[in-house]
Amino acid sequence: MKFISTRGRAPSLSFSDTVLAGLASDGGLYVPESLPSFSVEEIRAMSGLDYRELAFRIIQPFVGGELMDEELRGIIERAYRNFRHGAVAPLVQTGSGEWILELFQGPTLAFKDFALQFLGQLFDHLLKKRGERVVVMGATSGDTGSAAIEGCRHCENIDIFILHPHNRVSEVQRRQMTTVLSDNVFNIALEGNFDDCQNMVKASFADQSFLPDGRRLVAVNSINWARIMAQIVYYFYSAVSLGAPDRTVNFSVPTGNFGDIFAGYLARKMGLPIDQLVIATNANDILHRCISGNDHTPKELVHSLSPSMDIMVSSNFERLLFDLYDRDGAAVADLLADRSAPMHLSEDALKRAREVFSSWTVDDQRTVSVIREVYESCGYILDPHTAIGVEAARQVRRSQEQPMVCLSTAHPAKFPDAVARALPTKQIPLPAHMQDLFQREERMKVLPNELAKVHDFMATALGAG
Ligand SMILES: *Cc1c(COP(=O)(O)O)cnc(C)c1O
Protein backbone atom coordinates (compact mmCIF):
# COMPACT_ATOMS: atom_id res chain seq x y z
CA MET A 1 0.00 0.00 0.00
CA LYS A 2 1.16 3.52 -0.82
CA PHE A 3 0.89 6.55 1.44
CA ILE A 4 0.40 10.13 0.25
CA SER A 5 0.78 13.55 1.85
CA THR A 6 -2.19 15.70 2.86
CA ARG A 7 -0.47 18.64 1.15
CA GLY A 8 -0.11 16.81 -2.14
CA ARG A 9 3.49 17.71 -2.92
CA ALA A 10 5.64 15.05 -1.28
CA PRO A 11 6.51 11.73 -2.90
CA SER A 12 4.29 8.82 -1.99
CA LEU A 13 5.92 6.26 0.30
CA SER A 14 5.64 2.61 1.26
CA PHE A 15 4.30 1.62 4.68
CA SER A 16 7.68 1.23 6.36
CA ASP A 17 9.08 4.44 4.89
CA THR A 18 5.93 6.28 6.03
CA VAL A 19 6.26 4.98 9.56
CA LEU A 20 9.90 6.05 9.75
CA ALA A 21 9.33 9.40 8.00
CA GLY A 22 6.88 11.17 10.31
CA LEU A 23 6.03 14.48 8.62
CA ALA A 24 6.00 14.56 4.83
CA SER A 25 8.60 16.76 3.12
CA ASP A 26 5.90 19.26 2.09
CA GLY A 27 4.84 19.69 5.73
CA GLY A 28 1.81 17.44 5.35
CA LEU A 29 0.85 14.21 7.09
CA TYR A 30 0.83 10.82 5.44
CA VAL A 31 -2.45 9.00 4.82
CA PRO A 32 -3.10 5.77 2.92
CA GLU A 33 -3.80 6.26 -0.76
CA SER A 34 -6.92 4.14 -0.31
CA LEU A 35 -8.47 2.45 2.71
CA PRO A 36 -9.14 -1.25 3.06
CA SER A 37 -12.77 -1.96 3.83
CA PHE A 38 -14.53 -4.85 5.48
CA SER A 39 -17.85 -6.33 4.38
CA VAL A 40 -20.73 -6.95 6.76
CA GLU A 41 -19.84 -10.67 6.72
CA GLU A 42 -16.20 -9.98 7.47
CA ILE A 43 -17.11 -7.75 10.40
CA ARG A 44 -19.59 -10.32 11.70
CA ALA A 45 -16.78 -12.88 11.61
CA MET A 46 -14.73 -10.67 13.95
CA SER A 47 -17.11 -11.45 16.78
CA GLY A 48 -15.39 -13.27 19.64
CA LEU A 49 -11.88 -12.87 18.26
CA ASP A 50 -9.00 -12.35 20.65
CA TYR A 51 -7.74 -8.72 20.59
CA ARG A 52 -4.46 -9.74 18.95
CA GLU A 53 -6.10 -11.73 16.20
CA LEU A 54 -8.47 -8.87 15.46
CA ALA A 55 -5.53 -6.44 15.40
CA PHE A 56 -3.85 -8.68 12.84
CA ARG A 57 -6.92 -8.64 10.56
CA ILE A 58 -7.32 -4.85 10.73
CA ILE A 59 -3.63 -4.00 10.29
CA GLN A 60 -2.63 -6.64 7.75
CA PRO A 61 -4.17 -4.91 4.68
CA PHE A 62 -2.11 -1.76 5.44
CA VAL A 63 1.22 -3.60 5.62
CA GLY A 64 0.62 -6.54 3.32
CA GLY A 65 3.52 -7.02 0.95
CA GLU A 66 6.03 -5.45 3.33
CA LEU A 67 5.72 -7.63 6.40
CA MET A 68 5.04 -11.31 6.27
CA ASP A 69 2.06 -12.48 8.27
CA GLU A 70 4.28 -14.16 10.86
CA GLU A 71 6.35 -11.00 11.30
CA LEU A 72 3.23 -8.91 11.86
CA ARG A 73 1.76 -11.46 14.26
CA GLY A 74 5.01 -11.42 16.25
CA ILE A 75 5.00 -7.62 16.48
CA ILE A 76 1.37 -7.59 17.65
CA GLU A 77 1.97 -10.40 20.14
CA ARG A 78 4.91 -8.58 21.75
CA ALA A 79 3.06 -5.24 21.71
CA TYR A 80 0.04 -6.41 23.67
CA ARG A 81 1.53 -9.00 26.02
CA ASN A 82 2.19 -6.37 28.73
CA PHE A 83 -1.46 -5.43 29.13
CA ARG A 84 -2.88 -6.35 32.51
CA HIS A 85 -6.39 -7.35 31.45
CA GLY A 86 -7.08 -10.51 29.46
CA ALA A 87 -9.48 -8.63 27.20
CA VAL A 88 -6.78 -5.95 26.57
CA ALA A 89 -9.56 -3.35 26.13
CA PRO A 90 -12.48 -4.30 28.42
CA LEU A 91 -15.92 -2.62 28.39
CA VAL A 92 -17.76 -1.51 31.52
CA GLN A 93 -21.36 -0.26 31.57
CA THR A 94 -22.02 3.01 33.42
CA GLY A 95 -25.52 3.91 32.28
CA SER A 96 -28.34 3.06 29.92
CA GLY A 97 -26.59 2.17 26.67
CA GLU A 98 -23.49 3.97 27.97
CA TRP A 99 -20.22 2.08 28.06
CA ILE A 100 -16.68 2.84 29.14
CA LEU A 101 -13.94 1.32 27.01
CA GLU A 102 -10.98 0.91 29.36
CA LEU A 103 -7.93 1.76 27.29
CA PHE A 104 -5.66 2.12 30.30
CA GLN A 105 -4.66 -1.49 30.92
CA GLY A 106 -1.23 -1.07 29.34
CA PRO A 107 2.11 -0.44 31.14
CA THR A 108 1.72 3.37 31.52
CA LEU A 109 -2.01 3.44 32.33
CA ALA A 110 -3.07 5.51 29.31
CA PHE A 111 -4.49 4.62 25.92
CA LYS A 112 -1.28 5.72 24.22
CA ASP A 113 0.20 2.33 25.10
CA PHE A 114 -2.00 0.80 22.39
CA ALA A 115 -0.14 2.75 19.74
CA LEU A 116 3.30 3.04 21.26
CA GLN A 117 3.85 -0.52 22.45
CA PHE A 118 3.04 -1.45 18.87
CA LEU A 119 5.20 1.29 17.35
CA GLY A 120 8.25 0.37 19.44
CA GLN A 121 8.05 -3.25 18.32
CA LEU A 122 7.42 -2.22 14.72
CA PHE A 123 10.39 0.19 14.66
CA ASP A 124 12.76 -2.31 16.17
CA HIS A 125 11.72 -4.93 13.66
CA LEU A 126 12.05 -2.61 10.64
CA LEU A 127 15.36 -1.13 11.81
CA LYS A 128 16.90 -4.49 12.52
CA LYS A 129 16.04 -5.56 8.98
CA ARG A 130 17.63 -2.40 7.60
CA GLY A 131 20.64 -2.46 9.91
CA GLU A 132 19.92 1.14 10.90
CA ARG A 133 19.96 3.00 14.22
CA VAL A 134 17.73 6.08 14.67
CA VAL A 135 16.95 8.82 17.18
CA VAL A 136 13.38 9.12 18.35
CA MET A 137 12.48 12.65 19.41
CA GLY A 138 9.10 13.63 20.74
CA ALA A 139 7.20 16.20 22.76
CA THR A 140 4.72 15.26 25.43
CA SER A 141 2.06 16.97 27.47
CA GLY A 142 2.24 13.95 29.73
CA ASP A 143 1.07 10.59 28.50
CA THR A 144 2.81 10.30 25.15
CA GLY A 145 6.24 10.57 26.70
CA SER A 146 5.94 7.73 29.17
CA ALA A 147 4.18 5.53 26.63
CA ALA A 148 6.89 6.23 24.02
CA ILE A 149 9.65 5.55 26.53
CA GLU A 150 8.02 2.29 27.61
CA GLY A 151 7.59 1.39 23.96
CA CYS A 152 11.26 2.06 23.07
CA ARG A 153 13.23 1.28 26.24
CA HIS A 154 14.09 -2.24 25.10
CA CYS A 155 14.70 -1.34 21.45
CA GLU A 156 18.25 -2.03 20.36
CA ASN A 157 18.25 0.36 17.42
CA ILE A 158 16.74 3.45 19.04
CA ASP A 159 17.88 6.30 21.26
CA ILE A 160 14.91 8.25 22.55
CA PHE A 161 14.69 11.91 23.67
CA ILE A 162 11.42 13.10 25.16
CA LEU A 163 10.71 16.77 25.93
CA HIS A 164 8.08 17.62 28.51
CA PRO A 165 7.07 21.07 29.81
CA HIS A 166 8.95 21.53 33.09
CA ASN A 167 6.62 21.43 36.12
CA ARG A 168 3.58 21.10 33.88
CA VAL A 169 2.98 17.38 33.94
CA SER A 170 1.65 15.49 36.94
CA GLU A 171 4.16 13.87 39.28
CA VAL A 172 2.98 10.41 38.30
CA GLN A 173 3.42 11.27 34.63
CA ARG A 174 6.88 12.71 35.19
CA ARG A 175 8.07 9.79 37.26
CA GLN A 176 6.79 7.31 34.72
CA MET A 177 9.26 8.88 32.28
CA THR A 178 12.19 9.86 34.46
CA THR A 179 12.48 6.62 36.41
CA VAL A 180 13.27 4.63 33.29
CA LEU A 181 17.05 4.54 33.59
CA SER A 182 17.91 2.70 30.38
CA ASP A 183 21.00 4.00 28.57
CA ASN A 184 19.00 4.83 25.43
CA VAL A 185 16.39 6.97 27.24
CA PHE A 186 16.82 10.75 27.73
CA ASN A 187 14.27 13.03 29.39
CA ILE A 188 14.39 16.78 28.79
CA ALA A 189 12.30 19.06 31.00
CA LEU A 190 11.88 22.20 28.88
CA GLU A 191 11.23 25.56 30.50
CA GLY A 192 8.08 26.30 28.50
CA ASN A 193 4.68 24.83 27.68
CA PHE A 194 3.71 21.87 25.55
CA ASP A 195 3.55 23.90 22.36
CA ASP A 196 7.11 25.12 22.99
CA CYS A 197 8.15 21.48 23.26
CA GLN A 198 6.33 20.66 20.05
CA ASN A 199 7.92 23.61 18.22
CA MET A 200 11.34 22.50 19.41
CA VAL A 201 10.74 19.04 17.98
CA LYS A 202 9.47 20.47 14.69
CA ALA A 203 12.52 22.71 14.33
CA SER A 204 14.82 19.78 15.03
CA PHE A 205 13.20 17.69 12.34
CA ALA A 206 13.49 20.56 9.87
CA ASP A 207 17.28 20.85 10.36
CA GLN A 208 18.95 17.67 11.63
CA SER A 209 22.53 18.82 11.07
CA PHE A 210 23.17 18.75 14.82
CA LEU A 211 23.01 14.94 14.85
CA PRO A 212 26.11 12.75 14.56
CA ASP A 213 26.72 11.34 11.06
CA GLY A 214 24.47 8.53 9.98
CA ARG A 215 21.74 9.32 12.47
CA ARG A 216 18.29 10.71 11.72
CA LEU A 217 15.22 11.67 13.69
CA VAL A 218 12.08 9.61 13.76
CA ALA A 219 8.75 10.84 15.14
CA VAL A 220 6.54 9.04 17.61
CA ASN A 221 3.96 11.77 18.21
CA SER A 222 0.44 11.20 17.10
CA ILE A 223 1.13 12.26 13.51
CA ASN A 224 2.87 8.91 13.03
CA TRP A 225 0.65 6.84 10.80
CA ALA A 226 1.30 3.56 12.64
CA ARG A 227 -0.16 5.03 15.82
CA ILE A 228 -3.43 5.96 14.16
CA MET A 229 -3.56 2.55 12.52
CA ALA A 230 -3.11 0.67 15.80
CA GLN A 231 -5.95 2.71 17.32
CA ILE A 232 -8.46 1.66 14.68
CA VAL A 233 -8.46 -1.81 16.20
CA TYR A 234 -10.26 -1.05 19.45
CA TYR A 235 -13.13 0.68 17.66
CA PHE A 236 -13.82 -2.57 15.82
CA TYR A 237 -13.18 -4.67 18.92
CA SER A 238 -15.63 -2.80 21.15
CA ALA A 239 -18.29 -2.24 18.49
CA VAL A 240 -18.32 -5.90 17.49
CA SER A 241 -18.66 -7.00 21.09
CA LEU A 242 -21.69 -4.68 21.39
CA GLY A 243 -23.40 -6.14 18.33
CA ALA A 244 -21.85 -4.52 15.24
CA PRO A 245 -22.30 -4.87 12.30
CA ASP A 246 -25.93 -5.66 13.14
CA ARG A 247 -26.10 -2.69 15.42
CA THR A 248 -24.81 0.85 15.06
CA VAL A 249 -22.39 1.91 17.78
CA ASN A 250 -21.29 5.48 18.58
CA PHE A 251 -18.22 6.82 20.33
CA SER A 252 -17.23 9.75 22.49
CA VAL A 253 -13.54 10.57 22.55
CA PRO A 254 -11.60 12.90 24.88
CA THR A 255 -9.70 14.80 22.23
CA GLY A 256 -6.39 16.64 22.05
CA ASN A 257 -4.38 16.14 18.88
CA PHE A 258 -7.30 14.43 17.13
CA GLY A 259 -5.40 11.17 16.59
CA ASP A 260 -7.62 8.89 18.63
CA ILE A 261 -10.93 10.11 17.22
CA PHE A 262 -9.52 10.16 13.70
CA ALA A 263 -8.91 6.42 14.08
CA GLY A 264 -12.64 6.12 14.81
CA TYR A 265 -13.42 8.07 11.67
CA LEU A 266 -11.27 5.63 9.68
CA ALA A 267 -12.96 2.63 11.31
CA ARG A 268 -16.25 4.06 10.03
CA LYS A 269 -14.84 4.45 6.53
CA MET A 270 -13.59 0.87 6.68
CA GLY A 271 -17.12 -0.37 7.17
CA LEU A 272 -17.88 -0.19 10.87
CA PRO A 273 -21.42 1.14 11.42
CA ILE A 274 -20.85 4.36 13.40
CA ASP A 275 -23.34 7.24 13.18
CA GLN A 276 -21.86 9.67 15.65
CA LEU A 277 -18.37 10.52 16.87
CA VAL A 278 -18.30 13.00 19.73
CA ILE A 279 -15.28 15.30 19.96
CA ALA A 280 -14.97 16.01 23.68
CA THR A 281 -12.70 18.93 24.57
CA ASN A 282 -11.70 20.72 27.74
CA ALA A 283 -11.34 24.53 27.96
CA ASN A 284 -8.93 24.30 25.00
CA ASP A 285 -11.97 24.08 22.80
CA ILE A 286 -10.78 25.00 19.31
CA LEU A 287 -12.29 21.85 17.76
CA HIS A 288 -15.59 22.40 19.52
CA ARG A 289 -15.68 25.99 18.26
CA CYS A 290 -14.81 24.77 14.80
CA ILE A 291 -17.50 22.09 14.59
CA SER A 292 -20.22 24.06 16.36
CA GLY A 293 -19.58 27.53 14.95
CA ASN A 294 -16.96 27.23 12.19
CA ASP A 295 -14.51 29.19 14.32
CA HIS A 296 -11.05 27.59 14.23
CA THR A 297 -9.15 30.45 15.86
CA PRO A 298 -6.18 29.49 18.05
CA LYS A 299 -6.43 30.91 21.55
CA GLU A 300 -4.02 31.13 24.45
CA LEU A 301 -3.39 27.69 25.97
CA VAL A 302 -5.27 27.01 29.21
CA HIS A 303 -3.85 24.60 31.77
CA SER A 304 -6.65 22.30 32.83
CA LEU A 305 -7.26 19.28 35.05
CA SER A 306 -7.01 17.17 31.88
CA PRO A 307 -3.46 18.12 30.79
CA SER A 308 -3.18 15.54 28.02
CA MET A 309 -5.83 17.50 26.14
CA ASP A 310 -4.22 20.92 26.69
CA ILE A 311 -3.46 21.56 23.06
CA MET A 312 -3.87 24.78 21.10
CA VAL A 313 -4.03 23.38 17.54
CA SER A 314 -4.69 19.69 16.83
CA SER A 315 -2.23 18.36 14.27
CA ASN A 316 -4.23 15.34 13.09
CA PHE A 317 -7.20 17.52 12.19
CA GLU A 318 -5.32 18.06 8.95
CA ARG A 319 -5.97 14.44 8.02
CA LEU A 320 -9.70 15.01 8.32
CA LEU A 321 -9.50 18.25 6.34
CA PHE A 322 -7.81 16.35 3.52
CA ASP A 323 -10.89 14.13 3.28
CA LEU A 324 -13.39 16.94 3.70
CA TYR A 325 -11.72 18.74 0.79
CA ASP A 326 -11.92 15.67 -1.45
CA ARG A 327 -8.24 14.85 -0.95
CA ASP A 328 -7.13 18.07 -2.61
CA GLY A 329 -3.65 18.66 -1.16
CA ALA A 330 -3.37 22.17 -2.60
CA ALA A 331 -6.63 23.19 -0.90
CA VAL A 332 -5.36 21.82 2.44
CA ALA A 333 -2.02 23.59 2.02
CA ASP A 334 -3.89 26.87 1.38
CA LEU A 335 -6.17 26.40 4.33
CA LEU A 336 -3.24 25.71 6.67
CA ALA A 337 -0.76 28.17 5.23
CA ASP A 338 -0.78 30.06 8.52
CA ARG A 339 -1.68 27.80 11.42
CA SER A 340 -1.89 30.65 13.91
CA ALA A 341 -4.52 32.44 11.79
CA PRO A 342 -8.28 31.89 12.11
CA MET A 343 -9.47 29.18 9.74
CA HIS A 344 -12.97 28.82 8.32
CA LEU A 345 -14.12 25.67 6.61
CA SER A 346 -16.14 25.79 3.42
CA GLU A 347 -19.86 25.22 3.94
CA ASP A 348 -19.65 21.87 2.23
CA ALA A 349 -16.70 20.70 4.34
CA LEU A 350 -18.43 21.78 7.53
CA LYS A 351 -21.64 20.04 6.55
CA ARG A 352 -19.80 16.82 5.86
CA ALA A 353 -17.91 17.01 9.14
CA ARG A 354 -21.16 17.51 11.04
CA GLU A 355 -22.73 14.42 9.52
CA VAL A 356 -20.37 12.35 11.64
CA PHE A 357 -18.92 14.61 14.32
CA SER A 358 -20.57 16.37 17.22
CA SER A 359 -18.62 18.29 19.80
CA TRP A 360 -18.81 19.65 23.32
CA THR A 361 -16.53 21.42 25.77
CA VAL A 362 -16.29 20.72 29.49
CA ASP A 363 -14.54 23.00 32.00
CA ASP A 364 -12.65 21.89 35.11
CA GLN A 365 -15.51 22.51 37.50
CA ARG A 366 -17.91 20.40 35.48
CA THR A 367 -15.23 17.70 35.04
CA VAL A 368 -14.98 17.37 38.81
CA SER A 369 -18.79 17.18 39.18
CA VAL A 370 -19.01 14.45 36.56
CA ILE A 371 -16.40 12.32 38.34
CA ARG A 372 -18.47 12.68 41.52
CA GLU A 373 -21.83 12.03 39.82
CA VAL A 374 -20.68 8.90 38.03
CA TYR A 375 -19.12 7.55 41.21
CA GLU A 376 -22.32 8.21 43.15
CA SER A 377 -24.54 6.61 40.51
CA CYS A 378 -22.54 3.45 39.85
CA GLY A 379 -19.39 3.35 41.98
CA TYR A 380 -17.06 3.77 39.01
CA ILE A 381 -14.17 6.25 39.18
CA LEU A 382 -13.35 8.18 36.00
CA ASP A 383 -10.12 9.99 35.31
CA PRO A 384 -10.62 13.66 34.33
CA HIS A 385 -10.09 13.06 30.58
CA THR A 386 -12.63 10.26 30.50
CA ALA A 387 -15.07 12.37 32.53
CA ILE A 388 -15.01 14.95 29.75
CA GLY A 389 -15.87 12.29 27.20
CA VAL A 390 -18.75 10.99 29.33
CA GLU A 391 -20.18 14.45 29.87
CA ALA A 392 -19.89 15.38 26.19
CA ALA A 393 -21.64 12.16 25.20
CA ARG A 394 -24.49 12.86 27.61
CA GLN A 395 -24.89 16.38 26.24
CA VAL A 396 -24.92 15.69 22.51
CA ARG A 397 -25.94 12.05 22.13
CA ARG A 398 -28.32 11.73 19.17
CA SER A 399 -29.70 8.23 19.73
CA GLN A 400 -30.68 6.57 22.98
CA GLU A 401 -31.12 3.21 21.22
CA GLN A 402 -27.60 2.94 19.85
CA PRO A 403 -24.86 2.19 22.39
CA MET A 404 -22.51 5.06 23.20
CA VAL A 405 -18.95 3.98 23.95
CA CYS A 406 -16.92 6.52 25.92
CA LEU A 407 -13.22 5.93 25.44
CA SER A 408 -11.45 5.90 28.79
CA THR A 409 -8.05 7.25 27.94
CA ALA A 410 -6.37 7.09 31.35
CA HIS A 411 -6.49 5.31 34.71
CA PRO A 412 -7.75 7.60 37.51
CA ALA A 413 -4.65 6.91 39.63
CA LYS A 414 -2.67 8.86 37.06
CA PHE A 415 -4.49 12.09 37.96
CA PRO A 416 -4.94 11.89 41.74
CA ASP A 417 -5.34 15.67 42.22
CA ALA A 418 -8.37 15.95 39.95
CA VAL A 419 -9.94 12.84 41.41
CA ALA A 420 -9.30 14.08 44.97
CA ARG A 421 -11.23 17.26 44.20
CA ALA A 422 -14.25 15.17 43.29
CA LEU A 423 -13.85 12.42 45.87
CA PRO A 424 -11.71 13.77 48.72
CA THR A 425 -12.01 10.65 50.88
CA LYS A 426 -11.21 8.15 48.15
CA GLN A 427 -7.73 6.67 47.76
CA ILE A 428 -6.97 5.26 44.33
CA PRO A 429 -3.99 2.94 44.52
CA LEU A 430 -1.58 2.58 41.63
CA PRO A 431 -1.59 -0.89 40.06
CA ALA A 432 0.90 -3.36 41.51
CA HIS A 433 3.63 -2.84 38.91
CA MET A 434 3.81 0.86 39.82
CA GLN A 435 3.48 0.71 43.62
CA ASP A 436 7.05 1.85 44.25
CA LEU A 437 7.00 4.64 41.63
CA PHE A 438 7.54 7.37 44.22
CA GLN A 439 10.61 5.65 45.65
CA ARG A 440 12.39 5.12 42.33
CA GLU A 441 15.41 7.14 41.23
CA GLU A 442 14.73 9.85 38.61
CA ARG A 443 16.92 11.08 35.78
CA MET A 444 16.16 14.16 33.64
CA LYS A 445 17.77 17.32 32.27
CA VAL A 446 16.13 20.72 32.77
CA LEU A 447 16.88 22.97 29.78
CA PRO A 448 15.88 26.51 28.72
CA ASN A 449 13.53 26.95 25.77
CA GLU A 450 16.46 27.43 23.34
CA LEU A 451 17.07 25.26 20.32
CA ALA A 452 20.87 25.39 20.51
CA LYS A 453 20.94 24.24 24.14
CA VAL A 454 18.70 21.29 23.39
CA HIS A 455 20.77 20.31 20.35
CA ASP A 456 24.02 20.53 22.32
CA PHE A 457 22.63 18.23 24.95
CA MET A 458 21.44 15.71 22.38
CA ALA A 459 24.65 15.73 20.36
CA THR A 460 26.71 15.19 23.50
CA ALA A 461 24.47 12.38 24.71
CA LEU A 462 24.61 10.63 21.35
CA GLY A 463 28.33 11.18 20.97
CA ALA A 464 28.99 9.63 24.33
CA GLY A 465 26.83 6.64 23.58
C1 LIG B 1 -3.30 11.84 24.44
C2 LIG B 1 -4.50 11.80 25.33
C3 LIG B 1 -5.74 12.29 24.90
C4 LIG B 1 -5.93 12.93 23.55
O1 LIG B 1 -5.78 12.04 22.47
P1 LIG B 1 -5.51 12.61 20.99
O2 LIG B 1 -5.27 11.41 20.16
O3 LIG B 1 -4.32 13.51 21.10
O4 LIG B 1 -6.73 13.37 20.61
C5 LIG B 1 -6.80 12.16 25.77
N1 LIG B 1 -6.66 11.63 26.99
C6 LIG B 1 -5.49 11.16 27.44
C7 LIG B 1 -5.40 10.60 28.81
C8 LIG B 1 -4.37 11.22 26.62
O5 LIG B 1 -3.19 10.76 27.07
Side-chain angles (χ1 to χ4, degrees), residues 137 199-211 217 451 454-455 458:
M137 183 179 187
N199 289 336
M200 187 73 68
V201 171
K202 273 192 194 140
S204 306
F205 273 82
D207 179 2
Q208 305 189 12
S209 54
F210 69 97
L211 291 172
L217 294 181
L451 195 60
V454 171
H455 286 180
M458 290 177 68

Side-chain angles (χ1 to χ4, degrees), residues 109-112 141-144 173 222 227-228 231 234 253-262 280 287 306-311 314-316 383-386 407-411 414-415:
L109 314 185
F111 88 99
K112 292 192 169 70
S141 56
D143 293 330
T144 308
Q173 286 180 319
S222 68
R227 284 186 57 177
I228 308 267
Q231 292 170 182
Y234 48 70
V253 187
T255 295
N257 251 328
F258 204 75
D260 200 6
I261 196 164
F262 186 69
L287 290 174
S306 42
S308 300
M309 294 156 66
D310 290 347
I311 280 161
S314 308
S315 28
N316 278 299
D383 102 289
H385 304 79
T386 308
L407 269 50
S408 180
T409 49
H411 189 291
K414 231 176 152 168
F415 299 95

Side-chain angles (χ1 to χ4, degrees), residues 71 191 395:
E71 294 178 282
E191 293 172 327
Q395 291 293 336

Side-chain angles (χ1 to χ4, degrees), residues 382-425:
L382 301 171
D383 102 289
H385 304 79
T386 308
I388 288 172
V390 169
E391 171 69 358
R394 290 179 177 182
Q395 291 293 336
V396 302
R397 186 169 171 182
R398 289 180 196 149
S399 161
Q400 295 303 316
E401 281 74 51
Q402 300 166 351
M404 174 61 80
V405 177
C406 302
L407 269 50
S408 180
T409 49
H411 189 291
K414 231 176 152 168
F415 299 95
D417 298 346
V419 177
R421 278 210 215 175
L423 308 167
T425 58

